[in-house]
Amino acid sequence: LEDVNDEIESTIADIEHITKMAVTLESAHRRYRDKKTNDTLFALSILSAIFLPLQFATGWYGMNFTTMSELEWDWGYSYFKCVMFCIFLTSVVSILLFSSGCLS
């Protein structure tokens, strides 16, 4: 009967050990999932930081105001494209500088 008792205690100890391993594995998986979610949100934030100013400028010039002098210029469309490119370039450079630690 003592052998059976020792075997039961050994089995209970093994079950506790496996339970602790399962909890550790679950927390590791949760950390991995959280990191993956954070990386995805970071990438979406970068894209938003680049394209939001461009979308604002496109919305502003797309309102068809009659008092905007740029609409009557011969080079008005080229001016708009240059402004959009400058906004895009400024966004990308500022994000690169910020991520490298120069602006923080």
Side-chain angles (χ1 to χ4, degrees):
L1 195 59
E2 190 174 311
D3 290 338
V4 174
N5 193 19
D6 289 341
E7 189 66 31
I8 289 174
E9 289 176 3
S10 174
T11 304
I12 288 174
D14 288 343
I15 290 173
E16 289 174 356
H17 180 68
I18 290 173
T19 303
K20 289 179 184 177
M21 287 175 52
V23 167
T24 304
L25 189 61
E26 183 183 10
S27 69
H29 177 67
R30 186 178 297 124
R31 283 193 309 269
Y32 169 74
R33 192 178 62 222
D34 290 344
K35 183 179 178 348
K36 191 172 180 181
T37 302
N38 286 340
D39 291 343
T40 302
L41 288 175
F42 178 74
L44 289 173
S45 298
I46 295 292
L47 286 174
S48 295
I50 291 174
F51 288 108
L52 193 62
L54 297 173
Q55 195 172 14
F56 173 74
T58 303
W60 181 262
Y61 281 100
M63 287 188 196
N64 296 326
F65 290 130
T66 57
T67 59
M68 293 178 71
S69 61
E70 295 92 6
L71 296 175
E72 297 172 5
W73 293 351
D74 291 335
W75 295 94
Y77 185 68
S78 298
Y79 169 77
F80 175 70
K81 286 173 61 174
C82 287
V83 167
M84 294 298 284
F85 180 73
C86 289
I87 291 172
F88 175 75
L89 193 62
T90 303
S91 298
V92 170
V93 168
S94 63
I95 287 171
L96 290 175
L97 287 175
F98 185 74
S99 66
S100 69
C102 293
L103 295 178
S104 57

